[in-house]
Each structure stands twice: as C-alpha cells, then as structure tokens.
Amino acid sequence: MSSRLPTGGTRLDRSRPVTISIDGQDVPAFVGDTLASALLGSDVRLVSAGIYSGRPRGVMGVGAEESNAFVQVTSGPGEPMVRATELEVHEGLSVERIAGRGWLPEGIDHTRYDKVWAHCEVLVVGGGEAGVTAALEAAARGVRVVVCDDRPALTDARAGELVSHPDVRVLTRTTVVGAHDHHHLVAVERRTDHLGDDAPPDVARRRLWHVKAAEVVLATGTQERPLVFPDNDRPGVMLAGAAATYVRRYGVLPGHRGVVWVAHDDGLADAVALADAGVELLVVADVRTTVTPALADALAERGVPLVLGAEVVGTDGDDDGFLYRVHLRGPDGVVVHDVDLLAVSGGLNPAVQLWSQAGGKLAWSTEAAGFVPAAPPPDAAYPLSVVGSALTGATGAVTAPATFFCGDVDDADAARVYLDPQRDATLADVRHAHLAGLTSVEHVKRFTTIGTASDQGRGFGVLTVGVLAQVLGRPVTEVGTTTYRPPYTPLPFGLLAGRDRGALSDPVRVTAMHDRHLAAGVPLEDVGQWKRPWYFPQRGESMHDAVLRECRAVREDVGMMDASTLGKIVCHGADVGEMLDRVYTGLMSSLKVGKVRYGVMCSPDGMVADDGTVARLSDDEWLLTTTTGNAASVLDTLEEWQQTEWPDLDARFTSVTEQWAVVALAGPRSRDVLAGLAPDLDVSAEGFAFMEWRDATVAGLPVRVMRISFSGELAYELHVPAAWGGALWDAVASAGGVTPYGTETMHVLRAEKGYPIVGQDTDGTVTPVDLGMAWAISPKKVREGRDFVGARSLVRDESNRPDRRHLVGLVPVDGSTAIAEGSQLVDAGADLAAVPVPMHGHVTSAYASVALGTPFALALLDGGRDRLGEELDAVDLRVPVRVRVTEPVPYDPEGERRDG
Amino acid sequence: MTAEVLALREGPLGTERLDVSGPALTIVDEPFRTLVDVRGTTTAPVVDGAWTWRLGPDWWLVDAPASDAVALESPVATSLRSALPGASVVDVSSLRTVFVLTGPDARAVLAHGCSLDLDPRVLPVGACVQGMLAQAQVSIGRTDADALRLHVRASFARHLAAWLRDASVEYL
Amino acid sequence: MLTLPCPFCGPRDETEFGYGGEAGVAYPERPADLDDAAWAEYLFLRANPRGWFTERWVHRAGCRQWFTVRRHTVTNEVVPDAAAQEVR
Ligand SMILES: [Zn+2]
C-alpha cells in the first residue's frame, strides 16, 4: 500500500524516480524526497528503536526538530545518526535502522570537505519571506549580504532577484550551526550529499563556512512542538504541521485514518489541509474551549467533527507497537478511535537557538505560547535582530494559542510519556528529578538527560520546560529555558578538519638543502614543524652504527651538517648593545665588530628561556642566533620589551631565519676543508680566532663564516643566502671526505660537552646557575648593579637553595648499560614496589658515546653538584640502571680541541 | 663566473614550479625576486620597478625584480641602506618567496584558508595585509583588480604551494 | 573566536594575535630595590575581574604592534583603550 498521492509535492521531481534501501529493503522515491518522505510514501513506518526501551519509532517531524527518526547511512562514506527528515535521497542511498546510537564507519572517509571564510555587512539566516525581504533591503543599501537557508532552494518569488544580485551570496542547503563572539558565524553547507555517486569527486562534499558579519538578521522561523501523553512515541504519532507539510512538499499522505489534537489555530489549519488531502479525520480535538470560528467552520464544511476542551489520554499499539487506537477524553468522556495517524501540535517555538547562542535573552510570551527573543546581546557593536512574525511571536492569531503541554497523567503511566524519545527519557524521570530535590531546568536536564541527545531539545525542549513547570507547580516564566550552545545541529569531525589532513594537517618546514636530503634518502626528524636529517646511514647501517660513525668522523676527521633551522634575528639601531645587555645575562654591548659571543636569555622569573650567539656585524647591526624551536618566541620577546617597556631604545628586529642557509663544518680537519674551499680566507688560528666571523667567498659563493662550535671541536658555520644553500651543500660535500651528519650526532656531540638544549635539558624551572652556567652571567653587570631580565629573580633565596635541581652527568656504573631519557633518579637499590618511591631528579638527555667509550646521560638532580661520585638508580619502565653522578662535561672538559 | 654562480640559485620550491591554471585562475611562483625589509620609517621607500608594501606603521617590504649580483646582500638593499640612514634595511630575498595569483577566482581560492577580507573595497590596489593562510604567515598585496601577490616564508613555500594546488581543484 | 581591533590593521581574527595579559603592569623602575614579596607580586599576580578588563595584545601574524584594549570578560565586548592610546 503506497501513501504517495498521484500528484503534488512542491519539492518532488516526479520525472526522476530513484530507488533507495532501508535494511536491504528497496524503497521507491523521487528526486527531492527526504528519506522520511520516501519511507512515509511507501508506508514504511518503522525507522528506529528506543535506545533502552527498544520501542519502535517512526517519523515525527519534518526538519531539524525531528527527535525519533535517526538512521545509519551505509552508502557512500557512511554516516551515523542522520536525521531522516533532512536526508535527501539519491539513487543508491542505503540506510540501516538504529536503536538510539549509530557507529562510526570503518576505514577512512576520503571524500573532500573544505572550509571557506566569507565577509559581509549583513548575514541573513533563513531565506523565507522575511529573510528575503531583509536581504533585499540590505542589498539595496549597497552592502555585501550573505543569506543562509537549510532547504535545497529558496521558494520566495523574489529569490531570483536575490541570487543574481552581485553583492549577495545565497547559500542553500546551508545550516548556520554556531553564532560565536563578534558575529563569527559558522555554517554547514551540504553540497553533494544529495547527488550520491554522481557527485564530482573534486567538489567538496560539505563545506564549513566561517562568516564574519557586521550585522546579523535572524529569520529562522519556528519549530513545531508536540503535545505529550502516555504512549506518545508510537509510529503513527506525528506533528500536525509536519503531517501537512508531507502532503504539500512531497505529495505523501502521512496516514489514512486520523485524529488531530492541537492547542493553537495553526494546528487546526493543518487539520483542514490533511482533510483536503484525503486523510479521513475521525475527529479534531483542541485543548482550548474557544477557537477561531473560520477554522471551526472549515472543518465543519468538510464534515470533520471538532471537539473542544479535549485531550488525548493514551494510545494503543498493534503487535508491532504501531499506533492503531487513540483514547480521546472530551467533555463527554473518553472515546476510542481506530486510526493509523495521530497528528498533534502543542504550538510553534520560535527558532531562537542562534539568538540565545549569541547572548540574547529569551522570555516566555503568552501571546505566542513560546519563548521569544527578549533583550538582545549586550554588545551594540555587533547588531543582532530578528525578523518574521513567526520568530518574533507576533503571530496575529485570531484566537490565542493555549499554554498547554501535557494533561494529568497517573504515576503509573508517566514512564510511557516520552519527553525525549532519543534518550528514552520520560515524565517519570522528571518527577523523579523533582522528588530528588531538583528544581532548576539546567539540573533536571542533566539528571534526566532530556535535551542532551543529538536533537539538543529542538523537538521536546520547550515542552519539557512546560512539563517541569507543571510538576513544580510554577508558571513557565519562572522555570525558564536551558542555554542553547553551538552547534545547532551536529557536524562531523571530517568537516571540522576540512582539508587540514594528511600532508596538509600541519605545515612542514624545510631548508634550502631539503632536496639533497631527500635524494640521499636520509631519515628525517621532526623538530617543531621542521624536517631535519636525523642521521645519514650507509647501506645496511643501523641508526646506532651510523651515529657512532658520524660522531667519530667529527671527533677525529670532519663532518658537515645542515644547520639552517637555527633561528636568526638581525637587530638594527644605536641602542642594540644596551638592549641586548638587558635581555641577555651576559654583557653584549662590549662586543667588537667581527666578534661573536654566547648568550643566555632568562624570563623575568630567572628561568632559562633560550640560548644562542650574538655577532656584531657593524656599529649598529647585530645578528642573533636562537635555538631552532625558539626563533619566533625570542623575536616576540625582543619586540615586546622594546615596544612596551623601552620604546626609547633605538632597536629594530627582523627575523632572517630562512634568509641564510647554514652548513656547519666541524672536526679537526674542518680548517683544511675550509681553506680549500675559500683560498682567499685566512683560516689560521691567529687570523680567524674562535668566536669571530668573516665575510668570504666560499666555493665562489658569498658566505659569512662564523667560527662557532657546538661540538667542542674546531668548527665553522657557513651562512649563505638561502638561494645558494643547495650549491653550498654540494660544494662542501664534494670537498673530499666530509662526513654528513644529522641531528642525532649533533645531540651526542653537544651532550658529550655538557651543552644543554633549552627545552630538552631545561623545562622552564631551571636557572643558568642550575645549569652550572653562572659564568654566563656578566659579573660586571652584577658588580655595577645593572639590571637584566631575570636578574632580580636570580638573587631570591629560593633561586639559590642548595637542593635545587642541578644539571649533572651520569654514567652507568657497569660502563655499558644504556640509560633511557626520561628515567627517574632514585636511591640506589630503592624498593620500586614501595610506592611512592622518593625521586631526586630525571634524565634529560642520554646517548651512546664513542668518545667516552660508554653510554652517558645528562640529568637534573636535586642538589646535584654536591653529589658527584654518588650512585643512584635511573629507572625507566621499572627497570633500574645503576649510575654514577659526574660533572656535566664528560668530554674534553678543558676545551682544548676547539682550536683543532 | 657570475653567470655560473647565479645559475646555481634555487628557489624554495627547488626544481618544482607552482603553475596552476584554470578558466579564471592562474597561480605561479616568482623565485629570486629581490625582497627587502625596511623598518623605522613612515615614508614609503621608493625603488624603480618595485612594489612597496606597507606591513606596519613603520615597516615596509620592497618587492623588486631579481638581482644579478653575487653578494651577501642585494644591491637594492645596499642602496636603500645608504638612502635611509636610521632605518633598518634587511635583505630578505631568500627569507620569503612570491606567489602570484591572478583571475576572478584568485580571491575565492585564498578564502578556503584565510580569514582576511580580500574584497577590493577593503584591500584596494597597492594595499597589503598580513595574516594567516593555511597555517602559514603571509602577506597579500593587490596589484590589480584580479591580481594578488602573496609573500610567504621560504620554509613554508612547499607547504603553501601544495595547499594552493589542492585548494584550486574546484576552480580548474 | 574574538575579533580584535588592531590599531594599524583594523579588526582581525583572534588567531592572528598573541595575548599579553593585564595592561599597565610596568616593569619596576629598580627591581633590585624590591623585596622578594614585592617582586613576586610583579611577576605573578594579575587582576582577574568579572567585567571590564584592560589587557594587552600583540598582532603577531600582522603588523607586530602591541596595543591595549578593554574587554568585558563576561560578554567579550572589546573597545579600544582610549587612555592607552593617548600614552602611546
Ligand atoms: Zn596589526
């Protein structure tokens, strides 16, 4: 038996039949149908089941207010918990019935989602008559307008005029889900869902719109709310307005024999429409005792009995639980009607969700029998208004709607009065909440879970407020609503991710030598967003062996590394020296042109923030290097101090990190290699001393050479404008016998020298003194009482407690067992089962060392400098390694190797 | 010799080029432009044949044709340095790179990853905005009704090129 | 997502900015003269009102200028801080 009418259906394209399926059962439909209308059109009443009760559920509404009919889409990429009332059909659409919860489709959804930002002076939400009017008025002022409407097309006669306006963007199939601060609105556009397999693969399936609007106009209309009674959840119980809409939009008869029960005039008009469509209406009941005479006359003309002051007190279901009898109590007692449709309507709730999200207040209107917009959001800089009689509550109804939600229900029946069918929550739950002492609607919501399902109370929320008011014996105005929060309707994570997935999920930063590293096939290490060569394995070589070989090359011969990711900042100005004296612990202003100095920066709390080098390029130009990870924050810090505290200092800062590609050349033979590449450069120990820089021609390229060492060996940094970075890398690599090395070897070499990495060996709780780097604090500045950032904190008693954690070295007592980074340091032989085990510090860096002939580590240890020689256990994953505390500079502590 | 050394230069995209072309869209890269940061002056630095973008109250980016000098800094930077005593002049030719977007769809492509309002009424010819595009910091200047110049840090150039290619698929 | 008024670039998304906390907390003239408690107060203690709050932002992804606004911590209304603008 089909309930599809032979004609009609404003949304249907009857020339385009399609076949869809539910649980494998084919269902005929037309393009333009929703899943709900297609199922109703084929008399398929069962759509879902209660999550706990297992009770059968059907279609109740026609739009976003639906709180019964959720399905699992299994065709295409699949999607859980989709509202049947908004799911447009297409050939091949396949769904499964679910019991209250769906499941995430397996595998990866490869369909395309994207995002777009849009800017406008006026955003109109809702493209009905009022919305179109507001949009045309705004467009006539010559400003940019965006109109969002969640239907497939605007139906207003002026839609064409609107769509063709050059300054108007009309987004259909687009639901505004969030009204955030400062008129940042978020909307979901469904672009190809309705096309099924015909969807072009390159067209984003859905689009997340970020609309920035100067002014927002809400024309969102209303949502119908039900009336409730025992067994109100049966398939066959529908909203009256929804039932009439199925006839009009989809040419579908929602039932054949019915009863209508309403509390307002629009519901009576819906009854007239149903009767005209051919539904045999046994009776129309209204809770009110007075109704608009014209509507009563219209029903009488159609031979439909109208009973006033009536209410439904129960329904009976057939063997499958589907509606087949309605118990209606009128002035003459209870009458039972055999039906397949019970259409109910308790009133029209203005769709105030976005108003509320934006911070607007709501108030109960007796005239509208609903919550209507009251005080607007306080921020007058972002005007928000509502248009349309439905939304403002000015309905102009001849006879006022009743404020009525639910009749008298015995406690025995209350557990079958469903207030949130998706949560299977009932009137009994509300009464239980009340007995438990809860009176606030927010508390009752959380106690009963009513309104927390994916429909977020759009179907039953206001009705529940009314029911709660009845239970509490208070007026609705005192109970108030819950707060509406984004999103208005659910949106998938794939859409939130958009195209920020896979390779585009996080920017990858690469150096000028990156293609060389790729060609060499070296493993890359993530250092922040940078990709850096980790080590350079020879054929068949393990990482361990490669790193030992690279280390040996630097210690005994010569190696090269891509050091381009070093942060670099040029400082210009007459007062840069003074500025640097204030932000570094050391003295920088005395640095001579041509020289380089190591520096440590602290935060005002005295903790190490960064370290690097300072080179003086000229009287008023300086070059700072920072750690790779802190390049941005050091620049931020310099600018903040200069702009906000020391605007009188003549100093300006420019990041030049990517301007210079850097090849580090390190090892006892590095001088020879450099001499070969730069025949005009005096590379002698006297002519080019440690911590100096020179401009030179290296392999024909313009290069700034800095004699800096991060390994303790004789070493140079070659800085070249990055366009020549690849050429410089090639030139050094072909200089003969230079071993390329990666970040792992760099770490071993620096750790052997006890050079800490800020952010690895420090964690924001470590002072320069804790690191054993008191020497980096200028004694002259201290002597003269000159302040620098962090100075005051470093003289607090707390900063000088002897039990502070100090940086120390560790070696395994057996000379061979590796120590794990992150190990906790405990007493030697401590019982690890006797939790909590007292912990004295932790391992911050740990490596195998060919130079030391033993694994070793750096660690932060309570009072560590006073514990040299002490034995402890370094525990990782419950496995202790006996270690001995040493100086943090295990290798070449006298620093004799840096001159080669 | 100079020509040989110049030939050794590589742009941030290496041997790849950015070459997106649709009915109403082209995106190309322009490696090796001469780019100079100027800070500390509120008057626009003037360089023949160059675009000068204002990035801050006293911060400018000069976007000039490629240089054929083999030097640590470009001649344009050197001459600006002497022309603007007191200002901070820094060669950033390798720090950033330039992508050029033209056509009526150029703005639409950028809108997929950029919250900046690039409407010509907000960003007229000659004006420039800085902000985020696809998680990378960029500056975007308008040179014509349908032409935008985009400056991005070299280390982000490949990411941004990949993003632009992907963002353009609906416009090809 | 807030929209913040950069004095140079105009209104922009919050994502372009860095937050600088309470405005008007000047670095002490002579930190060495402060006792530990007074220094700790400068370092760590900031107002956290429910209502209007004068705070600093930096347009990090834009012109890199620091500026001051008044923001209502409940409603997120944001207005330029007139007093701060005069000082600058
Ligand atoms: Zn700005």
Side-chain angles (χ1 to χ4, degrees), chain A residues 580-596:
Chain A
L580 298 182
D581 281 352
R582 296 186 191 180
V583 294
Y584 282 99
T585 60
L587 189 68
M588 295 300 169
S589 54
S590 62
L591 192 64
K592 297 200 165 31
V593 173
K595 301 281 190 184
V596 184

PDB file of all heavy atoms in Angstrom, chain A residues 580-596:
ATOM      1  N   LEU A 580      70.498  44.483  24.293  1.00  0.00           N
ATOM      2  CA  LEU A 580      70.929  43.093  24.477  1.00  0.00           C
ATOM      3  C   LEU A 580      71.495  42.882  25.881  1.00  0.00           C
ATOM      4  O   LEU A 580      71.323  41.807  26.468  1.00  0.00           O
ATOM      5  CB  LEU A 580      71.958  42.698  23.407  1.00  0.00           C
ATOM      6  CG  LEU A 580      71.441  42.742  21.966  1.00  0.00           C
ATOM      7  CD1 LEU A 580      72.521  42.281  20.990  1.00  0.00           C
ATOM      8  CD2 LEU A 580      70.174  41.902  21.790  1.00  0.00           C
ATOM      9  N   ASP A 581      72.137  43.914  26.422  1.00  0.00           N
ATOM     10  CA  ASP A 581      72.601  43.802  27.806  1.00  0.00           C
ATOM     11  C   ASP A 581      71.430  43.553  28.753  1.00  0.00           C
ATOM     12  O   ASP A 581      71.566  42.917  29.785  1.00  0.00           O
ATOM     13  CB  ASP A 581      73.318  45.090  28.234  1.00  0.00           C
ATOM     14  CG  ASP A 581      74.747  45.156  27.706  1.00  0.00           C
ATOM     15  OD1 ASP A 581      75.207  44.136  27.151  1.00  0.00           O
ATOM     16  OD2 ASP A 581      75.387  46.218  27.856  1.00  0.00           O
ATOM     17  N   ARG A 582      70.288  44.114  28.382  1.00  0.00           N
ATOM     18  CA  ARG A 582      69.120  43.984  29.269  1.00  0.00           C
ATOM     19  C   ARG A 582      68.419  42.638  29.127  1.00  0.00           C
ATOM     20  O   ARG A 582      67.705  42.217  30.024  1.00  0.00           O
ATOM     21  CB  ARG A 582      68.111  45.106  28.986  1.00  0.00           C
ATOM     22  CG  ARG A 582      68.652  46.492  29.293  1.00  0.00           C
ATOM     23  CD  ARG A 582      67.556  47.528  29.141  1.00  0.00           C
ATOM     24  NE  ARG A 582      68.103  48.897  29.164  1.00  0.00           N
ATOM     25  CZ  ARG A 582      67.351  49.983  29.053  1.00  0.00           C
ATOM     26  NH1 ARG A 582      66.044  49.863  28.904  1.00  0.00           N
ATOM     27  NH2 ARG A 582      67.906  51.173  29.081  1.00  0.00           N
ATOM     28  N   VAL A 583      68.548  42.010  27.953  1.00  0.00           N
ATOM     29  CA  VAL A 583      67.795  40.760  27.768  1.00  0.00           C
ATOM     30  C   VAL A 583      68.668  39.508  27.880  1.00  0.00           C
ATOM     31  O   VAL A 583      68.138  38.424  28.115  1.00  0.00           O
ATOM     32  CB  VAL A 583      67.028  40.724  26.432  1.00  0.00           C
ATOM     33  CG1 VAL A 583      65.943  41.774  26.421  1.00  0.00           C
ATOM     34  CG2 VAL A 583      67.950  40.880  25.259  1.00  0.00           C
ATOM     35  N   TYR A 584      69.981  39.666  27.709  1.00  0.00           N
ATOM     36  CA  TYR A 584      70.864  38.510  27.933  1.00  0.00           C
ATOM     37  C   TYR A 584      71.469  38.624  29.330  1.00  0.00           C
ATOM     38  O   TYR A 584      71.621  39.729  29.865  1.00  0.00           O
ATOM     39  CB  TYR A 584      71.992  38.473  26.894  1.00  0.00           C
ATOM     40  CG  TYR A 584      71.574  37.947  25.542  1.00  0.00           C
ATOM     41  CD1 TYR A 584      71.267  38.818  24.501  1.00  0.00           C
ATOM     42  CD2 TYR A 584      71.494  36.572  25.306  1.00  0.00           C
ATOM     43  CE1 TYR A 584      70.903  38.340  23.257  1.00  0.00           C
ATOM     44  CE2 TYR A 584      71.120  36.086  24.057  1.00  0.00           C
ATOM     45  CZ  TYR A 584      70.822  36.973  23.035  1.00  0.00           C
ATOM     46  OH  TYR A 584      70.451  36.488  21.814  1.00  0.00           O
ATOM     47  N   THR A 585      71.849  37.490  29.892  1.00  0.00           N
ATOM     48  CA  THR A 585      72.507  37.540  31.205  1.00  0.00           C
ATOM     49  C   THR A 585      73.921  38.091  31.075  1.00  0.00           C
ATOM     50  O   THR A 585      74.441  38.660  32.022  1.00  0.00           O
ATOM     51  CB  THR A 585      72.568  36.139  31.839  1.00  0.00           C
ATOM     52  OG1 THR A 585      73.319  35.272  30.981  1.00  0.00           O
ATOM     53  CG2 THR A 585      71.179  35.562  32.044  1.00  0.00           C
ATOM     54  N   GLY A 586      74.503  37.911  29.907  1.00  0.00           N
ATOM     55  CA  GLY A 586      75.884  38.345  29.723  1.00  0.00           C
ATOM     56  C   GLY A 586      75.969  39.785  29.256  1.00  0.00           C
ATOM     57  O   GLY A 586      74.953  40.467  29.070  1.00  0.00           O
ATOM     58  N   LEU A 587      77.205  40.247  29.054  1.00  0.00           N
ATOM     59  CA  LEU A 587      77.445  41.609  28.590  1.00  0.00           C
ATOM     60  C   LEU A 587      77.640  41.556  27.085  1.00  0.00           C
ATOM     61  O   LEU A 587      78.531  40.884  26.593  1.00  0.00           O
ATOM     62  CB  LEU A 587      78.706  42.165  29.276  1.00  0.00           C
ATOM     63  CG  LEU A 587      78.978  43.654  29.067  1.00  0.00           C
ATOM     64  CD1 LEU A 587      77.923  44.500  29.765  1.00  0.00           C
ATOM     65  CD2 LEU A 587      80.375  44.001  29.594  1.00  0.00           C
ATOM     66  N   MET A 588      76.807  42.238  26.335  1.00  0.00           N
ATOM     67  CA  MET A 588      76.882  42.197  24.882  1.00  0.00           C
ATOM     68  C   MET A 588      77.388  43.509  24.290  1.00  0.00           C
ATOM     69  O   MET A 588      78.004  43.525  23.224  1.00  0.00           O
ATOM     70  CB  MET A 588      75.505  41.881  24.284  1.00  0.00           C
ATOM     71  CG  MET A 588      74.999  40.492  24.641  1.00  0.00           C
ATOM     72  SD  MET A 588      76.107  39.208  24.046  1.00  0.00           S
ATOM     73  CE  MET A 588      75.443  37.770  24.870  1.00  0.00           C
ATOM     74  N   SER A 589      77.158  44.624  24.987  1.00  0.00           N
ATOM     75  CA  SER A 589      77.460  45.933  24.403  1.00  0.00           C
ATOM     76  C   SER A 589      78.957  46.100  24.145  1.00  0.00           C
ATOM     77  O   SER A 589      79.354  46.893  23.301  1.00  0.00           O
ATOM     78  CB  SER A 589      76.955  47.048  25.322  1.00  0.00           C
ATOM     79  OG  SER A 589      77.472  46.878  26.623  1.00  0.00           O
ATOM     80  N   SER A 590      79.770  45.343  24.874  1.00  0.00           N
ATOM     81  CA  SER A 590      81.220  45.485  24.706  1.00  0.00           C
ATOM     82  C   SER A 590      81.753  44.668  23.532  1.00  0.00           C
ATOM     83  O   SER A 590      82.931  44.733  23.222  1.00  0.00           O
ATOM     84  CB  SER A 590      81.925  45.029  25.998  1.00  0.00           C
ATOM     85  OG  SER A 590      81.639  43.658  26.244  1.00  0.00           O
ATOM     86  N   LEU A 591      80.860  43.915  22.884  1.00  0.00           N
ATOM     87  CA  LEU A 591      81.292  43.057  21.782  1.00  0.00           C
ATOM     88  C   LEU A 591      81.804  43.913  20.620  1.00  0.00           C
ATOM     89  O   LEU A 591      81.184  44.898  20.243  1.00  0.00           O
ATOM     90  CB  LEU A 591      80.116  42.199  21.321  1.00  0.00           C
ATOM     91  CG  LEU A 591      80.411  41.034  20.369  1.00  0.00           C
ATOM     92  CD1 LEU A 591      81.302  39.999  21.034  1.00  0.00           C
ATOM     93  CD2 LEU A 591      79.098  40.394  19.925  1.00  0.00           C
ATOM     94  N   LYS A 592      82.963  43.495  20.062  1.00  0.00           N
ATOM     95  CA  LYS A 592      83.528  44.267  18.952  1.00  0.00           C
ATOM     96  C   LYS A 592      83.034  43.720  17.626  1.00  0.00           C
ATOM     97  O   LYS A 592      82.699  42.535  17.503  1.00  0.00           O
ATOM     98  CB  LYS A 592      85.047  44.197  19.009  1.00  0.00           C
ATOM     99  CG  LYS A 592      85.605  44.835  20.283  1.00  0.00           C
ATOM    100  CD  LYS A 592      87.063  45.193  20.140  1.00  0.00           C
ATOM    101  CE  LYS A 592      87.506  46.145  21.242  1.00  0.00           C
ATOM    102  NZ  LYS A 592      86.811  45.993  22.529  1.00  0.00           N
ATOM    103  N   VAL A 593      83.005  44.630  16.618  1.00  0.00           N
ATOM    104  CA  VAL A 593      82.619  44.205  15.278  1.00  0.00           C
ATOM    105  C   VAL A 593      83.556  43.082  14.841  1.00  0.00           C
ATOM    106  O   VAL A 593      84.775  43.162  15.041  1.00  0.00           O
ATOM    107  CB  VAL A 593      82.691  45.390  14.289  1.00  0.00           C
ATOM    108  CG1 VAL A 593      82.445  44.904  12.856  1.00  0.00           C
ATOM    109  CG2 VAL A 593      81.664  46.462  14.670  1.00  0.00           C
ATOM    110  N   GLY A 594      82.964  42.031  14.290  1.00  0.00           N
ATOM    111  CA  GLY A 594      83.776  40.888  13.862  1.00  0.00           C
ATOM    112  C   GLY A 594      83.796  39.767  14.874  1.00  0.00           C
ATOM    113  O   GLY A 594      84.303  38.691  14.595  1.00  0.00           O
ATOM    114  N   LYS A 595      83.217  40.030  16.069  1.00  0.00           N
ATOM    115  CA  LYS A 595      83.252  39.029  17.136  1.00  0.00           C
ATOM    116  C   LYS A 595      81.865  38.429  17.371  1.00  0.00           C
ATOM    117  O   LYS A 595      80.838  39.014  17.025  1.00  0.00           O
ATOM    118  CB  LYS A 595      83.734  39.673  18.446  1.00  0.00           C
ATOM    119  CG  LYS A 595      85.108  40.295  18.365  1.00  0.00           C
ATOM    120  CD  LYS A 595      86.187  39.230  18.461  1.00  0.00           C
ATOM    121  CE  LYS A 595      87.560  39.898  18.628  1.00  0.00           C
ATOM    122  NZ  LYS A 595      88.651  38.894  18.632  1.00  0.00           N
ATOM    123  N   VAL A 596      81.894  37.292  18.011  1.00  0.00           N
ATOM    124  CA  VAL A 596      80.674  36.564  18.353  1.00  0.00           C
ATOM    125  C   VAL A 596      80.731  36.219  19.837  1.00  0.00           C
ATOM    126  O   VAL A 596      81.809  35.946  20.361  1.00  0.00           O
ATOM    127  CB  VAL A 596      80.565  35.254  17.533  1.00  0.00           C
ATOM    128  CG1 VAL A 596      79.237  34.545  17.817  1.00  0.00           C
ATOM    129  CG2 VAL A 596      80.712  35.519  16.041  1.00  0.00           C
TER     130      VAL A 596
END
